[in-house]
Amino acid sequence: MKSIRNVFAGLALAGTALSQACQTTTLTSSVPSNGMELALASYWYCGGTLNATAYIANLDYNKVVSLYYTNAQGQSTPLSVVTFGYSSSIGNGDFELWTTSTPIFIDGVTKLLNLTFQATDIGQTYAQTLNLPVNATGAAAPTLASPPAPYATPKGFGEDITSWLSINVGSEAETAFQKMFVNINPNVTGAVKGVVVAARSGPTYPQTDPDYEYNWVRDASLTMDVVQSLYSASTKKKSQSQYEDILFEYATARATEQTDPNLQTGLGEPKFYLNNTIFSGPWGRPQNDGPATSAITLIKFANDYLANGGSMDTVKQKIYDSTTYPASAPMQKDLLFVASNWSSPSFDLWEEEESDHFYTRMVQRRALVSGAAFASKMGDSTTSATLSAAATALTATLGQFWDVNRHTILYEYGPVLHGKSSYLDIAVVLGVIHGYAGDGVYGFTNDEVLSSALRISTSFIDVYPLANKTTDSTGNILGIPIGRYPEDVYNGTGTEDNGGNPWYLCTAAMAQFMYSASSQYADDGSISITNISKPFFDYFTPTADLSLGQSYAYGSPQYNHAINGLNGWGDAFMRTIKHYTPTDGTLTEEYNRNTGVPQGAADLTWSYASVLTAAFARAETRGQKGYVRNLANLGVQANTAA
Ligand SMILES: *[C@@H]1O[C@H](CO)[C@@H](O)[C@H](O)[C@H]1NC(C)=O
Ligand SMILES: *[C@@H]1O[C@H](CO)[C@@H](O)[C@H](O)[C@H]1NC(C)=O
Ligand SMILES: *[C@@H]1O[C@H](CO)[C@@H](O)[C@H](O)[C@H]1NC(C)=O
Ligand SMILES: *[C@@H]1O[C@H](CO)[C@@H](O)[C@H](O)[C@H]1NC(C)=O
Ligand SMILES: *[C@@H]1O[C@H](CO)[C@@H](O)[C@H](O)[C@H]1NC(C)=O
Ligand SMILES: *[C@@H]1O[C@H](CO)[C@@H](O)[C@H](O)[C@H]1NC(C)=O
Ligand SMILES: *[C@@H]1O[C@H](CO)[C@@H](O)[C@H](O)[C@H]1NC(C)=O
Ligand SMILES: *[C@@H]1O[C@H](CO)[C@@H](O)[C@H](O)[C@H]1NC(C)=O
Ligand SMILES: *[C@@H]1O[C@H](CO)[C@@H](O)[C@H](O)[C@H]1NC(C)=O
């Protein structure tokens, strides 16, 4: 047997050697003489790299030359395009030679579609239709790199994390809770009720840089979502009414934002001063996730308020009915904005890229799905039907984000940020955390979501030197430090090469993801291993020895083993946060990629909110029904209260 195999291996090698040479297809070797402004001269796809040369008329100074192709699946996507660079001037300078040499093996190529030349200065675009088949030549193309082998196999919940998150004075959970409320209705001159300051960093705080002394629509809505969870869980009248007051003030503040006379991009305006008037300086706008997450929070609040005996009239006047009560009720207006604008590009949650974003679509979807049900409850069948129709149309677009060649959900689909060559962003995980509607569409146990969580989390291992520290002083396992995306250059105040750091809220997101996946599997009743999900389990629970194509029922030994792995990693990610948190429990935005020292904005509200929601998810998967209640019943301290 062995010798026969060797014979075949030898034959295969000889075959490879024969096809080592790159084969060029030459279309023309002289500049176009037919009045054309461009012509593809030659191309070859060799060893996974597409090389091509083109003649481009020298019509203006700024030129953008692109070659569109179809990928291995025969599809044209925003990723199946390469750009050319200037190479040389030809003859009297009327034409230039432009070239490209781009590795495209991950997408693959089957056909060249067209060559496009944008003469930006004169506002002209020229194109040459190609429709040329491409055959691979040369050495075999590389394949997508596999995720690394796991550096540790944490299992089960850790006593250290249980204690760190306990409901006791001075615990991290209690500290995060109190510090979050300090930033709600902050004690800053001019601040109005219902606003959330993004961090204690800005003109009136001891730390002035960066200036986060604003009320961001996104941050406020995600913070108020935590207040809503506390409202929902509280069994003490006094604390419950504190949360209720804060949430009604928040609803009013949101209505004030919506009616600001100086909105530049409608309800997608991302940022307001603490007096709740618009920030109208240059900024990445619109950011169309804010109206969605605001509506999601208020839908939950209104449902709980009604369940607690609140009146329908109050809900309509102070939360829902923007048509009749525009000055006080924001929800319907935000929902209808989402319904009519979900397909428009907008800036992402990091405020950097205008495109179609998975995070934004996910939270918009959840707003539409739960909004349709809530509108029905309000007797508003017209709005309900509008929201339902938009939800259906939006849902049909989500599949396009899956990149079958990269085994990840793309964080955006559309003009792609070229600096983010990994195409990975924790925004995908945050999209599931904040946007999963509980209806089986892109939930925590979705194969594509699992694969994406694996790809983005392991991408930071080679990026942050800090990732080399894998245990704390007691030998407990530290999870991978998680940032926004591997190519990040923002260091908390400015940008610099290799400046991006792990963020507390991104690390908490991975912890929460693990806990929520664990809970969801219990609801699903089994774990199924497919070729998409297997790498996730191979990394996070390799010793469970799960096999492709198998399904492991709730309670079976392999199921329990796998869940232990997810819970162990959840705690490992939390332990990383714990390890790089100062003893007073304060959380900045980020911790340094080399040293782990806190960096960036002080007391970032979203950092506190994210540790709390991860703690809530941990308690849920541990079956600790009283956890959120006990925290909620602490109530807001007088000096920080509304
Ligand atoms: C492709 O282009 C690059 C850059 O010009 C060059 O170094 C490389 O040799 C080319 N590949 C082949 C196979 O000609
Ligand atoms: C070139 O192909 C791309 C991808 O199919 C398409 O979007 C674009 O419109 C085409 N450009 C021209 C000028 O035909
Ligand atoms: C690609 O291969 C097909 C058949 O395998 C052949 O007909 C075609 O001419 C080749 N095209 C190029 C550009 O080499
Ligand atoms: C709100 O606060 C900003 C920043 O302090 C200030 O420029 C603006 O004039 C204030 N607007 C109102 C209406 O007070
Ligand atoms: C919202 O949609 C309307 C019309 O559908 C459009 O005019 C407006 O520009 C959109 N706004 C944003 C912020 O996307
Ligand atoms: C981690 O340590 C290894 C071995 O010391 C080193 O090769 C690697 O570059 C380090 N990783 C980072 C991100 O610094
Ligand atoms: C962040 O980058 C800026 C440059 O944009 C630099 O001035 C600053 O010192 C850096 N901050 C830290 C903490 O390294
Ligand atoms: C994964 O499985 C699906 C369905 O069973 C199959 O269509 C696909 O080709 C497989 N992909 C890989 C990479 O094996
Ligand atoms: C608000 O801040 C002022 C000035 O820093 C301080 O005197 C006052 O006690 C604070 N109020 C509360 C309720 O914390």
Side-chain angles (χ1 to χ4, degrees):
M1 247 344 241
K2 200 162 192 181
S3 61
I4 292 174
R5 268 199 197 171
N6 283 342
V7 168
F8 279 108
L11 283 177
L13 258 179
T16 309
L18 280 180
S19 62
Q20 282 289 335
C22 295
Q23 286 168 26
T24 307
T25 304
T26 303
L27 302 167
T28 174
S29 25
S30 52
V31 301
S33 55
N34 52 1
M36 289 288 289
E37 297 82 3
L38 75 174
L40 189 69
S42 64
Y43 67 96
W44 58 104
Y45 179 57
C46 181
T49 296
L50 181 68
N51 275 27
T53 57
Y55 297 113
I56 302 297
N58 190 13
L59 299 177
D60 75 334
Y61 186 73
N62 289 301
K63 309 179 180 74
V64 179
V65 180
S66 318
L67 178 63
Y68 290 87
Y69 61 92
T70 52
N71 64 16
Q73 288 75 38
Q75 287 165 350
S76 164
T77 79
L79 299 182
S80 52
V81 55
V82 295
T83 50
F84 285 56
Y86 169 84
S87 172
S88 58
S89 181
I90 295 171
N92 61 6
D94 286 351
F95 272 89
E96 295 170 350
L97 194 67
W98 283 59
T99 62
T100 188
S101 173
T102 312
I104 59 165
F105 59 87
I106 295 179
D107 293 294
V109 54
T110 43
K111 198 202 263 187
L112 303 183
L113 292 174
N114 65 59
L115 180 70
T116 301
F117 161 30
Q118 290 167 267
T120 350
D121 303 332
I122 56 172
Q124 293 290 329
T125 297
Y126 309 96
Q128 179 188 22
T129 301
L130 299 167
N131 290 322
L132 296 165
V134 179
N135 298 339
T137 62
T143 51
L144 179 71
S146 295
Y151 64 81
T153 52
K155 291 189 185 74
F157 297 106
E159 285 300 320
D160 57 333
I161 303 304
T162 300
S163 150
W164 193 59
L165 297 176
S166 64
I167 314 295
N168 288 305
V169 174
S171 78
E172 184 59 24
E174 196 263 352
T175 302
F177 170 89
Q178 299 297 353
K179 297 264 178 197
M180 183 183 81
F181 278 104
V182 170
N183 289 1
I184 294 173
N185 294 331
N187 181 15
V188 170
T189 309
V192 302
K193 296 280 185 188
V195 302
V196 177
V197 66
R200 294 179 88 68
S201 184
T204 65
Y205 290 114
Q207 180 180 325
T208 54
D209 190 24
D211 185 2
Y212 279 21
E213 210 174 314
Y214 296 93
N215 175 52
W216 263 273
V217 175
R218 170 182 315 104
D219 299 45
S221 64
L222 300 181
T223 303
M224 288 295 172
D225 197 52
V226 181
V227 178
Q228 153 54 23
S229 295
L230 297 167
Y231 171 72
S232 180
S234 179
T235 52
K236 273 196 185 164
K237 270 278 164 263
K238 182 173 172 235
S239 40
Q240 195 184 51
S241 72
Q242 288 178 323
Y243 305 132
E244 189 176 294
D245 290 349
I246 291 172
L247 287 159
F248 274 123
E249 285 160 5
Y250 167 64
T252 307
R254 179 65 192 142
T256 305
E257 292 166 3
Q258 292 178 334
T259 48
D260 191 294
N262 297 313
L263 301 180
Q264 295 172 39
T265 51
L267 305 189
E269 281 297 323
K271 184 174 168 179
F272 292 78
Y273 294 111
L274 297 182
N275 60 21
N276 220 16
T277 62
I278 186 85
F279 166 81
S280 51
W283 209 252
R285 57 168 68 86
Q287 297 177 19
N288 289 349
D289 56 313
T293 46
S294 178
I296 291 166
T297 294
L298 289 176
I299 289 166
K300 292 193 217 170
F301 173 51
N303 277 325
D304 282 342
Y305 177 75
L306 290 171
N308 286 343
S311 87
M312 195 79 131
D313 279 352
T314 305
V315 168
K316 286 186 178 167
Q317 285 178 33
K318 295 188 164 182
I319 301 178
Y320 179 73
D321 188 353
S322 321
T323 310
T324 316
Y325 309 101
S328 61
M331 190 206 292
Q332 185 199 40
K333 196 168 179 177
D334 271 336
L335 288 171
L336 288 171
F337 174 86
V338 173
S340 61
N341 286 276
W342 66 266
S343 66
S344 309
S346 77
F347 280 83
D348 62 314
L349 79 172
W350 311 133
E351 315 192 289
E352 293 177 339
E353 273 289 286
E354 186 162 29
S355 188
D356 294 340
H357 301 280
F358 184 76
Y359 172 87
T360 306
R361 286 278 163 93
M362 284 293 285
V363 296
Q364 289 175 330
R365 180 179 184 277
R366 183 178 183 187
L368 293 170
V369 168
S370 53
F374 190 77
S376 287
K377 193 167 179 170
M378 294 290 105
D380 184 356
S381 57
T382 311
T383 297
S384 180
T386 303
L387 303 179
S388 283
T392 303
L394 183 158
T395 303
T397 69
L398 289 175
Q400 77 190 12
F401 289 90
W402 173 243
D403 187 332
V404 63
N405 297 311
R406 287 182 178 76
H407 302 185
T408 192
I409 293 171
L410 296 170
Y411 64 90
E412 75 178 27
Y413 193 83
V416 168
L417 177 60
H418 291 293
K420 289 164 84 166
S421 55
S422 69
Y423 303 105
L424 299 169
D425 193 313
I426 196 70
V428 171
V429 171
L430 287 164
V432 177
I433 286 175
H434 296 295
Y436 178 47
D439 57 359
V441 178
Y442 292 94
F444 295 92
T445 61
N446 173 291
D447 282 0
E448 296 176 1
V449 169
L450 295 171
S451 183
S452 307
L454 167 68
R455 290 273 165 184
I456 179 63
S457 57
T458 53
S459 75
F460 295 107
I461 294 173
D462 292 333
V463 172
Y464 301 139
L466 200 64
N468 267 2
K469 184 162 175 55
T470 56
T471 54
D472 66 13
S473 59
T474 63
N476 282 325
I477 296 162
L478 295 173
I480 305 160
I482 306 292
R484 301 190 297 178
Y485 49 89
E487 300 85 356
D488 200 359
V489 291
Y490 178 62
N491 69 10
T493 50
T495 61
E496 53 179 344
D497 284 351
N498 299 319
N501 296 305
W503 284 34
Y504 293 105
L505 77 91
C506 299
T507 313
M510 273 309 294
Q512 183 169 347
F513 179 80
M514 289 295 171
Y515 301 138
S516 294
S518 174
S519 294
Q520 184 67 51
Y521 276 121
D523 291 348
D524 293 353
S526 66
I527 296 176
S528 295
I529 309 300
T530 69
N531 57 6
I532 307 292
S533 66
K534 189 163 189 299
F536 174 89
F537 292 100
D538 287 347
Y539 190 87
F540 290 113
T541 173
T543 52
D545 202 20
L546 308 177
S547 304
L548 184 61
Q550 297 298 305
S551 182
Y552 300 96
Y554 178 87
S556 67
Q558 281 111 320
Y559 175 97
N560 290 341
H561 200 128
I563 294 298
N564 259 336
L566 303 194
N567 295 338
W569 272 101
D571 271 13
F573 287 115
M574 285 308 262
R575 190 172 295 115
T576 299
I577 298 177
K578 173 176 182 281
H579 194 69
Y580 299 114
T581 297
T583 46
D584 66 2
T586 56
L587 296 174
T588 56
E589 179 177 73
E590 40 200 84
Y591 47 104
N592 186 273
R593 57 158 54 202
N594 299 303
T595 63
V597 171
Q599 194 160 324
D603 290 303
L604 189 85
T605 317
W606 192 356
S607 293
Y608 293 125
S610 71
V611 164
L612 291 176
T613 54
F616 297 172
R618 184 179 192 266
E620 186 186 342
T621 199
R622 283 162 61 86
Q624 294 176 325
K625 297 206 186 307
Y627 182 84
V628 187
R629 181 193 65 221
N630 292 344
L631 186 69
N633 285 346
L634 293 178
V636 186
Q637 283 174 14
N639 69 332
T640 61

